[in-house]
Amino acid sequence: MKVALFVPCYIDAFFPEVGVASLELLERLGVEVAYPLDQTCCGQPMANSGCEEDAAGTEALFVENFAGYDYVVGPSGSCVHHVRDHLTAIPQTDRVLAVRRNTYELVEFIHDVLKVREFPWAEFPHRVGLHVGCATLRGLREASISEVKQAPFSKPLALLSAVKGIQFVEPKRPDECCGFGGTFSVFEEPVSARMGQDKVNDHASAGAEVIVSPDMSCLMHQKGVAERLGLDVRFMHIAEVLNGARP
Amino acid sequence: MSTRDEILTRVRKNQPAARPLPEVPLFDAGRDASLATFASSLMRMGGKLVDAPGDSDLDALVARLYPEAKVIASATPEVSGNRPLGQLQRPADLEDVDVGIVRAVFGVAETGSVYLSEHEYQVNALGFLSQHLLVLLDPAAVVVNMHHAYRHPGFRTARYAVFMTGPSATADIEGILIHGAQGIRSLTIVPVPLPTR
Amino acid sequence: MKRIDHAEASSKFIEATDHAEFHDRRLWDLRKKRDRESESLPEWQELRGLASAIKEHTLTHLADYLEQFEAAAQANGIVVHWARDAAEHNQIVHELLAAHGVKTLVKAKSMLTEECDLRPFLENRGILVVETDLGERIQQLDDEPPSHIVVPAVHKLRTDVAEVFGRTIGTDPTNSDVHYLAESQRQNTRPHFVGAEAGMIGANFAVAETGTVVVCTNEGNADLSMHLPKLTIASIGIEKLIPRIEHLGVFIRMLSRNALGSPITQITSHFRAPRPGTEMHYVLVDNGRSERLGMEDFWYSLKCIRCGACMNTCPVYRRSGGLSYGATYSGPIGVIIDPTFNLRKYSNLPFASTLNGSCTNVCPVKINIHEQIYKWRQVIAERHQLPMVKREAMRMAGKVLASPKMYRLAVEAAAAGISHLPRTLIYNPFNAWGKQREVPGAAKQTFRQWYVANRGTKQ
């Protein structure tokens, strides 16, 4: 199984520890992971702004870096969702389609492909608010949603539940968007900030000590809001928790 | 080209490729058309159900239910009113009616609705200008749900047909529920079988 | 024409904290009520599928169904008019009213008439127009458009309504008891119903088979508008058509469940022919709908049954209010149809979204709303309607991210920049991110730098 690690641009730049945790976690699970050195970004920021044309070069570079691997695994639901659903600024050759098809979000990959449910090296005796970002939730369908009647399920929860000592809190609106939304966070700052405040307050009121998510972009936004509010809540990526890190 | 032709031409030109029309099931498996189910749906929507009087005296029932009522307009021969509907100059003459009385054709268990048309109302405004509406309903004339309800031939023949489900209502101000918005303040169903000829 | 600035308007909305909190709570409550209904019907998803399929079939055969509808209506004694746009609609309505010497028109809620801006057109020609739906009446008296298509005054608190009524219909401005306010509007409107020479409704559904217009209200104001005056008019958007009476079973079961979380509205009215001795008219309105029908990516928006469920679930709508969109249609459905009315004016609206997708999941007719929002962004960029700042930023980003070397330089510079710049330079009004959020701290090294240092460069 040839697996390549895709580290989204903002994780590369601001949260390298999430990339490190993802790599180490996959290796602990017995996967040999390559890291194509010329990768940059998936193209989502430009595409979501309507500028698909401007995303073309980035998307072509993505395919260059990741062609030929059986699996491309990245710790970011929104980036992976973009690759699987919207990497369309370049001609859709077989090579491109294969890369798109083989790109997985980290939790998806561990849950569905590796089928792992145990993380014996991890311990996390804390009250956790689990946040699943909207692309991961509704785009990649990694958990059930409150607006659709269905048997409840959650891939991130299934993995995290195995961690020794972990407890989960119940926020009032577990699957309401937190307001990051990419460039929305800048161009619609008032609503974005308000949504972020509501989200972190919801988790804090429910007793969360740490908010954990497979989506570092959401966490970046929530962390920024929480710090400005002076809330005593920490933020960690699910890869870090599953890899054995503590707050 | 007339506007009509212009619009139809543009619509024809722009219509996407044909999609098929689906069959609509009746969705009635395991559902009942009992008066009890009807009553529970009706009450959820703010309507009331009172027992038919044991002595069959509907006029006395009306007097008991609406002791303050001065103007009573009945569209059914089963109940006497004091405002004859056949002699109105105009529908707005019903403005001062306290209680309107009418017999519904059938009820719908799913929603607690009753079906009425201009045949039952005689004057349509009776169902909306009256302060209160009393509706006679044959308990045997309850259908399961809206799919069944829409099979009624009245939809092809009546000028006006309506499902009344409880009193008029609004929650437009702060979500606070008010009964008696513009129309009737209360709707009361009396389950009375159709009189035998 | 000036672009609507949703972000600016939303900022003001959010500042009024009591109002903003109530608005969000009230509409989230409607969303939860809708959820409960969806859970109580095992056939829920099947009904959504049927509603969507019936609408798609109708729209792809719309010309035939319009002709069938017109023929049936005419056979029933109804006069049918056609209006290509808002101006023609208003003209037709006015001519009818003028020909009958109408001084007062009572009307039920109709988003189409809002879209056509009918009221000022008539008022400027000396006709008193009385909105009879409570929410619409509040907004009319306050000279403000409705903010939500189902609950027009949802953004107002009872004290606001008391102030408006006190100023306009003579109630006690200090009495904000909701029952008092509702009763006051009932008493104030009733003489208008009784005295109006004409009544007007919109259409929730128009049934081709029988020429019937179906109106769903909770208040009974549509019926009062139709059963008293001698002249009645229904304004009908051409997309409101459905083929047969039996299809109402699907739509009536879905409309109020999705809008308000109740199985049906208090009154569901079917108008097929005029009362004897009276005149009834239909005005079929296009106003851009036939154009939209030809848009491969966007014609699905014509399926909309105006339930408002998308607005109630939308976290952006709940925190910014319908008025911040500057259009008759707001929220998710608004952002995908408003650009067809005026691309430039509404070019910001598709960006007033996080693309979270819950709107698509709640839509009873399965409109792929969030996908259309994404596609509109592409259209707006292609037609050069993006603000210059954004356009340039994306062009730059596209170049940098397409080049590994340029990317590495930029990322390493950003990390360095954040760690060395003073707070005042980072947190200033030009840095929107930093207005209410801390900027992420600088990392000691990028992931790539860590990888190269710890794992080498062998592939």
Side-chain angles (χ1 to χ4, degrees), chain B residues 40-85:
Chain B
S40 128
S41 303
L42 169 72
M43 287 188 288
R44 185 193 160 176
M45 298 296 287
K48 301 183 210 171
L49 189 115
V50 300
D51 291 329
D55 59 3
S56 301
D57 187 346
L58 290 170
D59 289 348
L61 174 69
V62 170
R64 263 200 315 281
L65 288 175
Y66 311 100
E68 318 267 298
K70 291 191 183 50
V71 181
I72 298 173
S74 173
T76 168
E78 300 164 78
V79 180
S80 323
N82 54 24
R83 175 66 58 83
L85 291 170

Side-chain angles (χ1 to χ4, degrees), chain A residues 1-5 31-32 34 65-73 84 97-104 109 113:
Chain A
M1 179 163 59
K2 283 180 61 189
V3 176
L5 182 67
V31 182
E32 208 184 295
N65 274 274
F66 292 107
Y69 289 95
D70 299 316
Y71 298 98
V72 179
V73 182
R84 290 233 290 265
L97 291 169
V99 169
R100 291 181 64 191
R101 210 167 38 233
N102 295 331
T103 300
Y104 283 75
F109 181 72
V113 180

Side-chain angles (χ1 to χ4, degrees), chain B residues 169-178, chain C residues 22 26 133-136 138 151-162 165 175-185 219:
Chain B
T170 180
D172 268 338
I173 304 176
E174 281 195 25
I176 308 287
L177 181 63
I178 307 283
Chain C
F22 171 76
R26 165 74 175 137
D133 172 271
L134 173 57
E136 283 283 345
I138 293 167
V151 280
V154 70
H155 60 293
K156 284 185 156 72
L157 297 175
R158 67 191 74 185
T159 42
D160 301 315
V161 179
F165 281 2
N175 186 347
S176 61
D177 175 72
V178 175
H179 286 82
Y180 167 72
L181 293 169
E183 183 69 24
S184 302
Q185 185 254 351
E219 298 183 33

Side-chain angles (χ1 to χ4, degrees), chain C residues 284-424:
Chain C
L284 285 163
V285 182
D286 184 347
N287 202 33
R289 288 153 174 77
S290 60
E291 269 311 303
R292 215 183 322 144
L293 190 58
M295 293 181 181
E296 196 186 331
D297 289 327
F298 304 119
W299 71 274
Y300 295 109
S301 62
L302 291 164
K303 292 193 281 182
C304 178
I305 63 172
R306 305 285 194 260
C307 71
C310 60
M311 295 169 192
N312 302 339
T313 197
C314 177
V316 176
Y317 179 89
R318 276 185 277 107
R319 289 177 183 79
S320 57
L323 297 176
S324 64
Y325 295 75
T328 299
Y329 305 103
S330 50
I333 188 66
V335 311
I336 64 171
I337 68 180
D338 294 334
T340 65
F341 293 119
N342 188 319
L343 184 65
R344 179 172 170 75
K345 182 176 180 189
Y346 300 120
S347 53
N348 274 339
L349 295 188
F351 295 94
S353 162
T354 59
L355 295 177
N356 68 79
S358 69
C359 50
T360 298
N361 289 336
V362 302
C363 177
V365 287
K366 292 181 138 177
I367 302 172
N368 57 337
I369 303 175
H370 75 295
E371 287 172 8
Q372 290 191 40
I373 295 176
Y374 182 85
K375 291 206 172 90
W376 269 116
R377 295 179 178 189
Q378 310 303 328
V379 170
I380 284 160
E382 275 162 32
R383 306 241 204 109
H384 310 294
Q385 296 298 334
L386 279 183
M388 179 66 84
V389 164
K390 193 186 259 192
R391 193 82 199 74
E392 283 314 304
M394 288 304 129
R395 194 166 285 153
M396 210 53 243
K399 285 205 176 76
V400 170
L401 293 165
S403 154
K405 280 201 182 62
M406 279 174 67
Y407 164 75
R408 283 199 284 277
L409 275 169
V411 153
E412 281 147 36
I418 287 170
S419 62
H420 293 307
L421 288 174
R423 267 188 85 83
T424 45

Side-chain angles (χ1 to χ4, degrees), chain C residues 13-177:
Chain C
F13 184 87
I14 291 169
E15 274 165 25
T17 34
D18 286 347
H19 285 77
E21 262 169 40
F22 171 76
H23 187 263
D24 172 67
R25 233 182 317 118
R26 165 74 175 137
L27 294 177
W28 181 253
D29 182 57
L30 286 180
R31 159 55 221 276
K32 296 309 280 177
K33 287 190 158 87
R34 169 251 164 224
D35 288 353
R36 281 197 283 281
E37 286 301 311
S38 75
E39 285 155 24
S40 75
L41 289 190
E43 64 264 34
W44 185 265
Q45 293 301 337
E46 208 181 329
L47 285 171
R48 286 181 77 219
L50 287 167
S52 172
I54 293 167
K55 279 283 177 176
E56 285 180 14
H57 165 81
T58 310
L59 290 166
T60 58
H61 296 81
L62 188 59
D64 288 341
Y65 282 119
L66 283 168
E67 285 178 332
Q68 189 188 11
F69 177 77
E70 179 193 45
Q74 285 169 338
N76 299 338
I78 296 172
V79 181
V80 180
H81 312 256
W82 298 73
R84 64 170 64 80
D85 54 22
E88 196 173 4
H89 166 269
N90 296 346
Q91 204 184 334
I92 290 168
V93 172
H94 177 252
E95 271 166 21
L96 267 176
L97 299 178
H100 285 77
V102 171
K103 296 195 205 49
T104 302
L105 171 73
V106 284
K107 68 182 284 292
K109 182 166 61 174
S110 157
M111 285 300 107
L112 176 59
T113 59
E114 294 288 334
E115 186 188 315
C116 296
D117 222 13
L118 174 70
R119 224 168 51 221
F121 186 87
L122 294 178
E123 285 168 349
N124 289 341
R125 285 154 181 77
I127 295 174
L128 174 67
V129 180
V130 182
E131 292 290 344
T132 60
D133 172 271
L134 173 57
E136 283 283 345
R137 182 65 165 153
I138 293 167
Q139 291 308 96
Q140 175 184 26
L141 292 170
D142 199 22
D143 200 21
E144 206 180 53
S147 73
H148 185 290
I149 61 178
V150 173
V151 280
V154 70
H155 60 293
K156 284 185 156 72
L157 297 175
R158 67 191 74 185
T159 42
D160 301 315
V161 179
E163 188 274 321
V164 171
F165 281 2
R167 206 180 352 110
T168 54
I169 63 172
T171 55
D172 173 5
T174 65
N175 186 347
S176 61
D177 175 72

Side-chain angles (χ1 to χ4, degrees), chain A:
Chain A
M1 179 163 59
K2 283 180 61 189
V3 176
L5 182 67
F6 157 48
V7 179
C9 51
Y10 64 98
I11 291 182
D12 183 33
F14 298 117
F15 308 105
E17 67 275 12
V18 173
V20 174
S22 303
L23 175 65
E24 289 180 351
L25 178 62
L26 287 170
E27 288 173 340
R28 276 201 219 243
L29 296 173
V31 182
E32 208 184 295
V33 184
Y35 172 69
L37 287 165
D38 282 340
Q39 62 179 281
T40 58
C41 165
C42 64
Q44 190 187 191
M46 288 75 72
N48 275 12
S49 297
C51 305
E52 258 195 351
E53 254 177 43
D54 296 309
T58 307
E59 292 184 1
L61 182 60
F62 185 91
V63 174
E64 272 310 307
N65 274 274
F66 292 107
Y69 289 95
D70 299 316
Y71 298 98
V72 179
V73 182
S76 166
S78 70
C79 303
V80 168
H81 180 242
H82 173 76
V83 171
R84 290 233 290 265
D85 275 31
H86 284 144
L87 203 97
T88 50
I90 47 177
Q92 301 291 292
T93 62
D94 286 340
R95 194 165 174 256
V96 168
L97 291 169
V99 169
R100 291 181 64 191
R101 210 167 38 233
N102 295 331
T103 300
Y104 283 75
E105 185 272 326
L106 180 70
V107 167
E108 263 191 322
F109 181 72
I110 295 174
H111 186 279
D112 297 346
V113 180
L114 299 182
K115 299 199 190 344
V116 166
R117 297 287 184 274
E118 314 258 285
F119 307 91
W121 49 79
E123 190 172 346
F124 206 79
H126 299 284
R127 289 191 308 278
V128 166
L130 173 60
H131 173 77
V132 185
C134 298
T136 308
L137 190 57
R138 296 184 179 84
L140 300 180
R141 295 172 209 254
E142 290 200 15
S144 51
I145 46 188
S146 61
E147 69 264 26
V148 176
K149 180 182 180 188
Q150 54 196 171
F153 75 96
S154 167
K155 297 180 190 180
L157 187 63
L159 301 187
L160 273 177
S161 303
V163 174
K164 244 192 317 272
I166 199 167
Q167 302 156 61
F168 296 97
V169 305
E170 308 243 336
K172 288 206 185 73
R173 300 188 190 177
D175 60 4
E176 187 186 24
C177 177
C178 72
F180 174 64
T183 52
F184 177 88
S185 60
V186 169
F187 291 106
E188 287 269 347
E189 182 273 337
V191 175
S192 173
R194 183 59 203 236
M195 286 170 72
Q197 289 159 2
D198 287 346
K199 177 60 71 175
V200 300
N201 281 325
D202 192 7
H203 277 281
S205 305
E209 297 170 59
V210 188
I211 295 177
V212 176
S213 176
D215 299 289
M216 202 59 219
S217 46
C218 300
L219 290 181
M220 173 170 70
H221 159 72
Q222 292 177 36
K223 181 167 194 266
V225 165
E227 282 177 357
R228 184 63 64 83
L229 287 175
L231 278 182
D232 184 21
V233 186
R234 320 278 187 84
F235 296 83
M236 287 177 73
H237 190 273
I238 195 172
E240 299 177 273
V241 179
L242 296 177
N243 194 37
R246 301 290 197 97

Side-chain angles (χ1 to χ4, degrees), chain C residues 221-295:
Chain C
N221 55 313
D223 308 79
L224 284 164
S225 302
M226 295 294 276
H227 294 323
L228 299 173
K230 284 196 138 97
L231 172 66
T232 57
I233 306 169
S235 290
I236 307 162
I238 56 175
E239 85 282 26
K240 292 305 177 74
L241 257 64
I242 61 173
R244 301 201 288 258
I245 290 285
E246 70 174 279
H247 299 127
L248 289 170
V250 173
F251 291 104
I252 297 300
R253 292 184 80 204
M254 286 302 260
L255 179 61
S256 188
R257 284 188 164 99
N258 280 281
L260 296 166
S262 81
I264 196 172
T265 53
Q266 310 289 124
I267 298 124
T268 310
S269 315
H270 312 75
F271 302 97
R272 200 184 63 87
R275 296 172 356 249
T278 73
E279 241 180 84
M280 192 159 141
H281 295 253
Y282 286 165
V283 186
L284 285 163
V285 182
D286 184 347
N287 202 33
R289 288 153 174 77
S290 60
E291 269 311 303
R292 215 183 322 144
L293 190 58
M295 293 181 181

